[in-house]
Amino acid sequence: MVINSKLFNTIFQESINIYHIKDDINTPCPNPYEKGSIEHILFAKNWIDTVQWHMEDLIRMVDINPVDALKIKRDIDASNQVRTDTVEQFEDFLFAQYRHVKISPDARVNTETPGWAMDRLSILNLKLYHFKEELNREGISPAHFEKCKKKVDVLEEQYKDLSNAIDALLEEIATGKCQIKVYRQMKMYNDEELNPMLRKK
């Protein structure tokens, strides 16, 4: 199996395109890949990001009902927890994939794990999709088009750079030049024992 940024980007774009067929945050995730596979994890990860992207749009409506806004805010919080869990599933998969690699004595540890780099690439695919959508939106002014075009140019450069950086990191991990470590997010606010507001219950 070849694990690289091309695989990530292909599945992210597939997820984004399928979501926008209905463009509804309540659409269940139609993950077409076998559960436990890296493809399944990647599709699920981007689907979470895509739904959350649109929840973030909804909560910013100026005339939103405060009750609806609170529900969406709590849905975003819950989505963030699932997002974190999915990144950790991805990192567990990679850890198992590379568990037999002989680590070089002078192997470095990357400041960002492959999972969180993958997370940024997923979001970057979403940004590109929506900024390109703006370029094709009817009725926009030339000034708006130029503003969005400049942003697309920067995003495409970031997309290329991040994809290459992920590939380089994965290559270093596969050859033992970089040690892969699985870190867990030490979040407190969703834990009834650690969040004093929840503990009051």
Side-chain angles (χ1 to χ4, degrees):
M1 176 195 303
V2 178
I3 300 175
N4 57 22
S5 64
K6 183 178 180 182
L7 172 68
F8 301 172
N9 289 322
T10 299
I11 292 178
F12 294 157
Q13 289 159 24
E14 178 186 16
S15 164
I16 291 167
N17 289 330
I18 290 174
Y19 173 87
H20 284 94
I21 293 171
K22 292 186 176 179
D23 203 0
D24 180 356
I25 63 171
N26 297 306
T27 303
C29 177
N31 200 319
Y33 297 101
E34 182 181 356
K35 196 167 185 180
S37 67
I38 193 169
E39 294 87 353
H40 188 279
I41 296 169
L42 290 166
F43 190 97
K45 172 65 179 65
N46 181 265
W47 190 269
I48 293 163
D49 296 336
T50 305
V51 170
Q52 190 167 324
W53 177 286
H54 291 86
M55 287 196 289
E56 295 282 4
D57 282 346
L58 289 172
I59 205 169
R60 286 167 173 77
M61 292 190 303
V62 293
D63 57 348
I64 190 171
N65 181 298
V67 174
D68 293 337
L70 179 59
K71 181 185 182 305
I72 294 171
K73 175 64 175 72
R74 287 184 169 163
D75 287 345
I76 289 170
D77 286 345
S79 176
N80 270 324
Q81 184 61 59
V82 178
R83 171 177 166 240
T84 297
D85 293 344
T86 308
V87 169
E88 291 179 352
Q89 285 176 25
F90 173 85
E91 297 202 320
D92 286 341
F93 184 97
L94 284 190
F95 190 81
Q97 189 76 15
Y98 297 118
R99 67 186 180 278
H100 298 305
V101 172
K102 185 177 180 181
I103 306 299
S104 172
D106 59 349
R108 67 184 187 85
V109 176
N110 207 52
T111 56
E112 181 179 52
T113 66
W116 288 108
M118 175 274 293
D119 172 78
R120 290 198 296 128
L121 190 58
S122 174
I123 303 298
L124 198 49
N125 273 274
L126 275 164
K127 287 181 180 179
L128 271 167
Y129 178 91
H130 286 98
F131 269 106
K132 287 179 177 179
E133 194 175 49
E134 278 296 296
L135 293 180
N136 295 314
R137 183 163 61 88
E138 290 185 9
I140 63 172
S141 68
H144 182 75
F145 179 90
E146 283 305 313
K147 180 182 175 182
C148 291
K149 180 65 172 64
K150 286 178 182 177
K151 290 182 183 292
V152 167
D153 291 343
V154 172
L155 288 168
E156 286 184 333
E157 184 175 359
Q158 286 181 315
Y159 175 89
K160 180 181 176 182
D161 290 345
L162 181 55
S163 295
N164 289 338
I166 287 172
D167 289 340
L169 176 58
L170 291 172
E171 176 65 21
E172 283 190 298
I173 290 169
T175 56
K177 295 176 183 176
C178 182
Q179 184 176 0
I180 184 170
K181 289 188 175 182
V182 177
Y183 293 100
R184 297 303 182 200
Q185 296 296 304
M186 307 300 179
K187 295 186 182 291
M188 300 179 76
Y189 49 74
N190 287 330
D191 191 311
E192 293 187 5
E193 288 297 319
L194 296 174
N195 181 332
M197 298 298 106
L198 295 178
R199 196 163 58 234
K200 285 180 179 179
K201 292 195 304 182

